[in-house]
Amino acid sequence: MPFNLIDTDCSNLVIDYEYEITNKDLLAEYVGELVLGHYFHILKIINSLSSSSSTPSNKIIDFAIDKLNVSGEVKVIHRDGWLFQMISWLVLAHRNLGSNYHTQHPHFAPAQHGIDGLSIILKSDNTIDKIIITEDKCTINPRDTVREQVFPEFKDFEEGKKDSALISVLSSLIAHLDAGAVFESVQNDIYNTALRMYRIGITRESSHQSLQGRRRLFKNYDDYVSGPNSSRRSGATIYLDDVRNWMQDFSDKVVNYLESKKS
């Protein structure tokens, strides 16, 4: 994998399942495949299974590249947010390697509405181990973003305002299991908030590198999501020295990879 996983325990507030990029070029290849919609192919790679992706036409590749070209319709923050969401999706899939893990695919385009990330992990008896709800933010103002955008979203989930969306997406993820019997047996458990783990995927600042800095970043998390931090509140942060420049360079690498796939 093109990243290292690192755990920072900020008990009793949050566990930050942070990560660092170790191979930006390989990461760009994986994200490039996700831009083309080949998420199942990438999941098989993560699980060390042999896989080959479909071969898109040059026209389809150009359409994919257009989504990464900043213009009047594609803003930098939306482009960066989309790429970051796919990175976060890869990290979470790798972190749950070996578990009975089922996940929503990444968004198809920048600024797409809907839940940023939704996954479900089943136990060996096909009951729910946990439901992971992710909010991903690629930002230069992480603390303000957490406080003003992420916490209100999580509050809505905790209050049940988004349960219809959870049921809809999760049913699509596990409805194929045992001819639908698994979903029928666990569908009521989806309403059990104790089974939900919230995950804040975000770019952190240098001031958040220390343990105390990490606590400041996630301050008041427990006011919005109650319960033990080990099973309910999590983060997935990464430190990038210059977020916008890093993301521009990464976007260029993804585009280069897509160009290389043309026939």
Side-chain angles (χ1 to χ4, degrees):
M1 286 292 103
F3 39 73
N4 287 332
L5 306 181
I6 310 161
D7 296 351
T8 300
D9 190 346
C10 304
S11 294
N12 290 314
L13 179 63
V14 63
I15 295 180
D16 184 8
Y17 299 106
E18 62 177 296
Y19 58 98
E20 60 182 9
I21 306 302
T22 57
N23 190 330
K24 199 173 184 180
D25 291 320
L26 180 59
L27 183 65
E29 291 184 20
Y30 288 175
V31 169
E33 292 293 333
L34 293 178
V35 170
L36 291 170
H38 298 157
Y39 79 96
F40 185 67
H41 167 61
I42 295 300
L43 275 179
K44 292 189 74 173
I45 290 176
I46 290 173
N47 285 278
S48 300
L49 300 173
S50 61
S51 177
S52 60
S53 61
S54 59
T55 304
S57 68
N58 289 354
K59 180 185 291 187
I60 291 175
I61 293 173
D62 283 336
F63 286 149
I65 291 173
D66 284 344
K67 296 178 183 179
L68 299 173
N69 289 331
V70 174
S71 63
E73 294 185 2
V74 180
K75 296 181 179 179
V76 169
I77 58 173
H78 293 156
R79 189 270 317 270
D80 290 356
W82 187 40
L83 290 171
F84 183 74
Q85 182 202 36
M86 287 184 275
I87 295 171
S88 178
W89 183 91
L90 288 164
V91 170
L92 184 61
H94 180 59
R95 180 168 286 281
N96 287 286
L97 181 67
S99 63
N100 192 356
Y101 175 76
H102 306 268
T103 184
Q104 171 185 262
H105 55 69
H107 288 174
F108 297 118
Q112 183 177 323
H113 295 296
I115 303 171
D116 286 346
L118 183 59
S119 307
I120 184 170
I121 300 175
L122 301 176
K123 299 178 182 178
S124 58
D125 61 357
N126 280 333
T127 57
I128 298 176
D129 182 13
K130 68 181 67 171
I131 295 167
I132 305 174
I133 300 167
T134 298
E135 276 289 316
D136 288 315
K137 303 295 180 185
C138 182
T139 177
I140 59 175
N141 300 301
R143 176 55 193 167
D144 290 345
T145 300
V146 167
R147 184 179 62 249
E148 298 169 9
Q149 298 181 36
V150 178
F151 285 163
E153 283 287 314
F154 287 174
K155 181 180 180 182
D156 285 348
F157 278 108
E158 283 290 277
E159 293 179 348
K161 293 180 181 178
K162 299 196 174 187
D163 279 3
S164 59
L166 287 181
I167 286 287
S168 178
V169 176
L170 293 177
S171 64
S172 70
L173 296 181
I174 62 175
H176 65 287
L177 300 176
D178 196 17
V182 172
F183 175 71
E184 289 183 8
S185 67
V186 304
Q187 57 184 323
N188 288 330
D189 293 334
I190 294 173
Y191 297 105
N192 182 358
T193 57
L195 296 174
R196 298 175 187 177
M197 171 182 275
Y198 294 88
R199 178 175 178 264
I200 302 175
I202 199 162
T203 47
R204 66 179 188 269
E205 296 178 314
S206 58
S207 61
H208 303 131
Q209 295 290 71
S210 67
L211 183 61
Q212 287 306 113
R214 209 69 56 89
R215 288 179 180 276
R216 288 194 301 272
L217 174 61
F218 293 112
K219 183 180 178 182
N220 301 127
Y221 201 161
D222 49 347
D223 290 340
Y224 293 86
V225 178
S226 60
N229 68 295
S230 60
S231 62
R232 297 273 285 144
R233 296 181 299 277
S234 69
T237 71
I238 181 172
Y239 173 67
L240 303 176
D241 184 47
D242 187 324
V243 173
R244 295 304 169 208
N245 282 340
W246 193 97
M247 294 303 296
Q248 182 59 58
D249 178 68
F250 182 68
S251 179
D252 291 342
K253 288 180 181 293
V254 174
V255 170
N256 289 338
Y257 173 72
L258 292 172
E259 290 283 3
S260 74
K261 289 181 68 69
K262 288 183 177 180
S263 56

